[in-house]
Amino acid sequence: MPTQKLIFIYLCLILNLTCIAQNKGMGKPITSTKADDTPERRLALVIGNGDYSNEAKLKNPINDAKAMSEALVKLGFTVIMKTNVNRVDFEKVVDEFGAKLSKYDVGLFYYSGHGLQSQGENYLIPVDASSIDSEPLIKYKCIDFGRVMASMEGSSATTKIAILDACRSNPYKKGWSSSKGETEKVGFTIPNNPPGSCVIFATSAGRTADDNPLSRNGLFTESLLNYINTPNLSLASILTQTRKAVYERSNKNQLPEDHVKLLGDFYFVMSDKDKPLPTINPQELEKVLPKTLAKKFLDLPFAEMAYIQGGTFEMGDTRNEGFVSEKPVHTVKLDGFYMGKYEVTQRQWVEIMNGSPKWESIMNNHPSQFKDCADCPVEGVSWNDVEDFLEKLNLRTGSNYRLPTEAEWEY
């Protein structure tokens, strides 16, 4: 059975240790430094738009934004994350990002959602741009990507990076005809980004990207996240590895494209060859985990976590089984993490979801599923149900539980 299907049937939890570890002063990753050997100050704006009206909805951008934000925090970025942003709020947060960037050395903009080009300009589509009946309306209802680049260019940041996992499909059934009678092209057009910047597209100019509907993240973002935290790997090398992975996994249908005008090499993570990277010590982590975690939940077993030592493994397979292609085999590196020793039981589910009208109705209508087998794994729940469960669990514990990623589960 494909890995993704297992995650839906038997819910295991991971405790996300990022905030706990950093708040307790356990150390941060070694990032690039400036000429005076002080750490770079890094700021990122991350936007995920998926809740478009009608058939334009996208499944993965919200997950993309959350996963990218988590990765960037670990890499020393201060992150501003927004999801399902309308046009007014989109413009506002871009302008605020540009204003704040004057105090930082590195600025990074990440966007996942719909995008298009018009008359040589690239546009990002806010969630309220539901009815664009003609091409002239694009500039009034969408966000000119040039505005994003201008906000970074006007700052004192020396490194400016823009990553666009967009153009996954044409959000409108019909294209528009220009004054010359030409149908509007799909995808983005080649940007005119300034020196000191890098613009990264999930796919080639004029092409569409794979939304990767059978996975939690878009194909490009999922691949990028596998390499972005690799020590001593330059941005150029990260993009090369990502490009290769996406090209192979898409059966040569999608080729990411980058327009690099940086004035030097950039590294997300650097390590001194004579000094090992900081490692996560399981004993130290146990000291900072909430001591009352189990008692808060009547000793429910998901409070018992097992530490999984990080490492590198070959992910994927050469076979095609079911509806999910595991090709190609590719190397993935994971940090250490804690994972629940047992599946979430029906008793645990009821305990956390108690008070939710929807779940009270389900439990009353299906007593055998939720009362006669209290310690059986919970099943028959959707992805949205699980997200609701996690939100309530984290509010109750003050922790940050989440589902394992596909890579963590397979590892």
Side-chain angles (χ1 to χ4, degrees):
M1 181 179 291
T3 301
Q4 296 165 0
K5 299 280 182 72
L6 284 172
I7 294 178
F8 281 93
I9 295 174
Y10 298 124
L11 172 63
C12 282
L13 294 182
I14 282 181
L15 178 60
N16 187 336
L17 300 168
T18 303
C19 295
I20 296 174
Q22 290 186 350
N23 290 341
K24 293 295 182 179
M26 295 184 60
K28 296 182 179 180
I30 303 173
T31 57
S32 298
T33 57
K34 298 181 290 183
D36 59 1
D37 289 332
T38 59
E40 289 176 330
R41 297 163 298 175
R42 300 174 167 191
L43 179 68
L45 172 59
V46 176
I47 294 178
N49 278 352
D51 244 349
Y52 295 92
S53 60
N54 55 57
E55 69 278 0
K57 285 191 176 183
L58 292 172
K59 171 181 173 288
N60 289 329
I62 307 305
N63 296 330
D64 290 342
K66 291 179 180 179
M68 183 59 66
S69 295
E70 181 181 334
L72 292 174
V73 167
K74 291 181 180 179
L75 294 170
F77 281 84
T78 297
V79 176
I80 304 167
M81 188 188 81
K82 301 289 182 180
T83 58
N84 293 325
V85 186
N86 61 36
R87 185 182 65 83
V88 173
D89 291 341
F90 206 136
E91 292 179 346
K92 181 180 178 181
V93 73
V94 166
D95 293 345
E96 291 175 349
F97 171 61
K100 291 180 179 180
L101 200 53
S102 60
K103 298 180 181 180
Y104 292 83
D105 305 299
V106 179
L108 187 148
F109 173 78
Y110 171 88
Y111 172 77
S112 180
H114 278 305
L116 52 80
Q117 60 166 296
S118 173
Q119 298 181 359
E121 299 294 335
N122 294 316
Y123 291 89
L124 311 179
I125 305 181
V127 293
D128 58 346
S130 58
S131 58
I132 303 179
D133 301 322
S134 62
E135 185 180 356
L137 290 177
I138 293 175
K139 63 182 179 181
Y140 298 106
K141 293 195 172 187
C142 298
I143 305 300
D144 190 335
F145 176 59
R147 181 176 188 142
V148 177
M149 294 307 299
S151 71
M152 291 198 287
E153 187 177 3
S155 72
S156 57
T158 54
T159 301
K160 310 167 188 73
I161 302 170
I163 304 172
L164 306 181
D165 192 350
C167 301
R168 301 183 178 192
S169 62
N170 187 340
Y172 308 100
K173 289 184 177 180
K174 297 180 181 180
W176 301 279
S177 296
S178 67
S179 58
K180 297 180 181 180
E182 298 173 345
T183 301
E184 182 61 25
K185 296 179 180 179
V186 299
F188 283 141
T189 187
I190 297 175
N192 184 24
N193 51 305
S197 69
C198 175
V199 176
I200 305 161
F201 292 160
T203 189
S204 304
R207 300 292 298 273
T208 57
D210 188 350
D211 192 37
N212 206 19
L214 294 178
S215 184
R216 181 176 172 82
N217 298 108
L219 178 58
F220 169 78
T221 293
E222 185 176 76
S223 300
L224 176 62
L225 289 171
N226 284 334
Y227 300 103
I228 198 171
N229 63 349
T230 304
N232 300 324
L233 196 63
S234 68
L235 177 59
S237 297
I238 290 172
L239 297 179
T240 298
Q241 296 290 343
T242 301
R243 186 185 307 114
K244 180 181 178 182
V246 172
Y247 188 59
E248 292 176 347
R249 294 181 64 190
S250 66
N251 293 320
K252 301 182 179 181
N253 290 320
Q254 181 176 335
L255 185 66
E257 184 174 291
D258 52 81
H259 304 271
V260 181
K261 294 185 181 179
L262 296 178
L263 303 178
D265 292 332
F266 176 77
Y267 295 84
F268 283 102
V269 183
M270 294 184 68
S271 66
D272 190 324
K273 292 182 179 179
D274 299 325
K275 186 186 300 182
L277 283 172
T279 57
I280 298 176
N281 185 318
Q283 287 72 37
E284 289 298 317
L285 280 177
E286 288 174 2
K287 293 178 183 178
V288 301
L289 290 174
K291 295 180 179 179
T292 59
L293 195 59
K295 296 299 181 183
K296 279 187 178 182
F297 291 90
L298 309 177
D299 296 318
L300 297 180
F302 58 66
E304 190 172 353
M305 311 293 288
Y307 181 73
I308 312 298
Q309 180 70 46
T312 301
F313 77 108
E314 298 299 307
M315 182 176 176
D317 205 330
T318 57
R319 299 169 295 177
N320 283 323
E321 296 180 339
F323 297 101
V324 181
S325 172
E326 301 291 344
K327 296 181 179 179
V329 177
H330 55 289
T331 302
V332 175
K333 181 177 180 180
L334 293 175
D335 295 328
F337 55 92
Y338 274 89
M339 189 169 186
K341 290 183 68 174
Y342 309 101
E343 295 92 350
V344 173
T345 66
Q346 295 177 19
R347 179 166 63 98
Q348 294 169 335
W349 185 274
V350 172
E351 170 68 22
I352 300 304
M353 299 300 284
N354 186 32
S356 169
K358 175 183 177 182
W359 283 101
E360 285 182 355
S361 173
I362 291 177
M363 286 183 282
N364 291 333
N365 293 330
H366 302 279
S368 61
Q369 182 178 354
F370 286 95
K371 294 181 180 178
D372 293 347
C373 190
D375 290 318
C376 292
V378 68
E379 56 185 338
V381 293
S382 71
W383 183 271
N384 289 333
D385 296 333
V386 173
E387 289 296 305
D388 190 24
F389 172 84
L390 290 171
E391 182 178 359
K392 288 179 170 60
L393 174 61
N394 289 330
L395 283 174
R396 188 163 168 179
T397 60
S399 296
N400 194 6
Y401 288 97
R402 61 177 172 83
L403 282 176
T405 65
E406 184 176 1
E408 288 167 337
W409 183 264
E410 185 168 332
Y411 177 68

